Amino acid sequence: MENQFEEYVTFHITARDGSDVEMAVVDEFDFEKKHYVVGAVVKDDVIDDEGIYIYESMIDGDDFTVQKIKKDFDYRRIARAYMEMDEE
């Protein structure tokens, strides 16, 4: 499923192949005293929400940075918590 929004917050990540990928923030949440954003790939100004990814986020005023959750175990635990929050 694809969604097109007129305005959305974006950030860029470097893919495994070294390419630059634009991501849109589609959700955000707090878990265990840390802030996370849920991102989806943007292609041709369209958000592709078939695959979503979670990144740890640090907010400084109006700016934010994201970083990959390094440990696979932590990513799965955080993703599970997010899915449980989404069901409520």
Side-chain angles (χ1 to χ4, degrees):
M1 172 171 37
E2 294 183 347
N3 289 323
Q4 186 164 359
F5 298 96
E6 292 185 21
E7 269 188 54
Y8 46 84
V9 175
T10 62
F11 59 96
H12 291 258
I13 60 162
T14 302
R16 288 184 181 155
D17 66 2
S19 63
D20 182 62
V21 178
E22 183 179 20
M23 305 287 287
V25 175
V26 295
D27 203 357
E28 57 185 308
F29 65 100
D30 294 310
F31 178 66
E32 294 181 346
K33 299 183 182 180
K34 292 185 179 180
H35 190 73
Y36 298 92
V37 295
V38 180
V41 175
V42 176
K43 293 180 184 174
D44 300 321
D45 292 329
V46 176
I47 297 173
D48 182 2
D49 62 0
E50 285 298 313
I52 61 170
Y53 306 90
I54 299 171
Y55 297 90
E56 186 174 344
S57 175
M58 284 67 64
I59 301 171
D60 184 16
D62 289 338
D63 295 326
F64 72 99
T65 57
V66 297
Q67 69 181 26
K68 182 179 178 180
I69 300 167
K70 294 176 177 63
K71 295 180 182 177
D72 191 48
F73 172 79
D74 288 338
Y75 187 90
R76 287 193 311 263
R77 186 173 55 80
I78 294 162
R80 187 171 36 253
Y82 173 69
M83 288 186 289
E84 289 172 0
M85 288 176 205
D86 200 37
E87 291 174 358
E88 294 176 358

